[in-house]
Amino acid sequence: MIEKKSMRTRIAPSPTGYMHIGTLRTVLYDYFLARQSQGQFIVRIEDTDQERLVPGTLESLLKTFQTLQLDYDEGPVLMDDGSLSQKGKFGPYIQSERLKIYQPYAVELVERGHAYHCFCSEERLTKMREDQVAAKQAPKYDRTCLELSSEEIKQKLASGESHVIRMKIPEGESSFIDPIRGTITIQNSEVDDQILLKSDGFPTYHLAVVIDDHLMEITHVLRGEEWISSTPKEIILHRMLGWDMPTYAHVPLILNPDKTKLSKRKGDVSVESYLKKGYLPEALINFLSLLGWNPTADREIYTRSELVELFILSKVHSAGAVLNVEKLNWTNAHYLKTMEEGTYLEWCRPWIQTLSHDRSALDQAALLVRDRLQILSELPALTQFLFEDKLNHESALLLWKTQNKQEAAERLTAARHFIVGLSDDLFQSVEKMDSAIRAWIVQRGWGNGEVLWPLRVALSGQKQSPGPFELLVAYGKDRALARIDEALTHLV
Ligand code: GLU
């Protein structure tokens, strides 16, 4: 086996909202690479754009990592008492706590002629952009301040004139090999003279990201494809500072079924909302890992350690991946069906605890619908009837195909008589109940549907529900008979 050089990967979210599911997929790929190479996975918070910050979102991002049990090696940590601490030797991992670090690099770049002071006012820049758009040109800084003499610059600085520092994009082209997309080359003439340091002394994302990726010894930068246009700036900055570049890989977008970019308007985009709906962390992780990548053609279920072992960055597809909710539901249902019974019940209890004080009845209800459950939030609706005193049956629903009320009532009455005579041990076993009732139906010369349909609806009141044998066993004789009696009152 080829020894893999250990990788240092990072996710660098800005605390402006909940974790997007696209971010989670990138997190997973970061995590797989770090774990499979015995490297480190780092969480860094990019909060230099103070205007966009949303209070509380840093905590919710970190909480999501905890809920998903995605352990990272370095970064901010949310403590039990709600306070923040940080782990790792390259900290602090929150950019607003690193401000002192960035400025000297911007100054160094100016001194070395790779960056320059720009004193243009917001009004001038707006006008410039409007003119460029009107002339059908891509908006780009026109380098007016590059014409200033060093004397003029000195004077302006001395008089405290508001200014920013911009990078001076050199001529030529910038090229990098993206493991997912192959070689990407961008003409530098298309790249704007990016602001590195803002007038308030804060670094922009572009300066901070390059410095931090370097100082934190990041080897692989994975991020969404919307960042491709930023990469040339980062490559150029690395070169200007004389640093080795990390590998940049841009993961594809996640799309709606109509191939548009997944957006809040068309459905859920936050990991939080999926968890709240009752998707299991393992199912979400399994599903999202396979959006745009699959190690084999014939399997959809992988454990986390299999994913770590099998993940290959260059096998991620470059085309956008459609989020198929049915497949997500199927995956979630698989995990619900196959986990240990005790774990399953622990997941279920909070969802239905208000239906009854009787914990064993709740557990029984959860087990009864386990085969049909896809998302935990469906549990209350699927099990509620079990706890109702009356079902208020819809009479039309009690009728099998062309059956009329009288026929349904006859079958149900006959079934009632038969059930009255059943011994207690049949109410302990679904299989025994099943064979006893089926044998009786055969003996009466009836079809299954004409008896079992009205019986099942009598017991559940539902169009879809667990089968009649399961329900008979779940209720026990007396409650089952009461349900049948109630149904019969709707068939007169
Ligand atoms: N802070 C950027 C974001 O919010 C990170 C981009 C990157 O990974 O370089 O997505």
Side-chain angles (χ1 to χ4, degrees), residues 171-283:
E171 286 177 4
E173 56 181 33
S174 299
S175 219
F176 64 101
I177 301 171
D178 179 320
I180 298 175
R181 289 156 200 277
T183 301
I184 297 184
T185 304
I186 296 183
Q187 296 305 317
N188 290 356
S189 55
E190 289 168 21
V191 184
D192 196 8
D193 277 0
Q194 177 64 48
I195 297 178
L196 297 176
L197 209 63
K198 295 184 262 189
S199 54
D200 57 6
F202 269 64
T204 56
Y205 157 74
H206 300 275
L207 179 64
V209 77
V210 167
I211 294 175
D212 286 347
D213 284 340
H214 173 73
L215 296 180
M216 294 179 183
E217 297 178 9
I218 302 303
T219 62
H220 290 72
V221 170
L222 269 58
R223 54 188 179 189
E225 68 177 45
E226 65 274 25
W227 295 95
I228 291 180
S229 62
S230 297
T231 306
K233 297 175 188 170
E234 294 173 32
I235 291 174
I236 295 170
L237 267 177
H238 272 92
R239 251 192 246 132
M240 288 173 167
L241 289 160
W243 295 340
D244 286 341
M245 268 197 319
T247 298
Y248 289 96
H250 297 90
V251 295
L253 291 176
I254 300 183
L255 307 174
N256 294 304
D258 64 3
K259 301 278 165 89
T260 54
K261 186 176 163 187
L262 195 69
S263 69
K264 271 191 203 148
R265 277 184 300 119
K266 297 215 172 152
D268 288 322
V269 290
S270 75
V271 176
E272 193 88 356
S273 66
Y274 282 91
L275 293 171
K276 266 204 197 121
K277 266 200 205 160
Y279 288 100
L280 301 164
E282 279 324 298

Side-chain angles (χ1 to χ4, degrees), residues 409-426:
E410 275 171 20
R411 299 293 177 271
L412 211 47
T413 307
R416 187 188 194 287
H417 286 309
F418 182 67
I419 291 165
V420 168
L422 291 176
S423 60
D424 287 348
D425 66 317
L426 288 182

Side-chain angles (χ1 to χ4, degrees), residues 279-305:
Y279 288 100
L280 301 164
E282 279 324 298
L284 259 186
I285 287 175
N286 187 151
F287 171 79
L288 285 176
S289 301
L290 302 187
L291 265 187
W293 167 70
N294 197 329
T296 59
D298 56 354
R299 258 179 78 188
E300 297 295 341
I301 301 295
Y302 296 89
T303 63
R304 207 183 278 216
S305 51

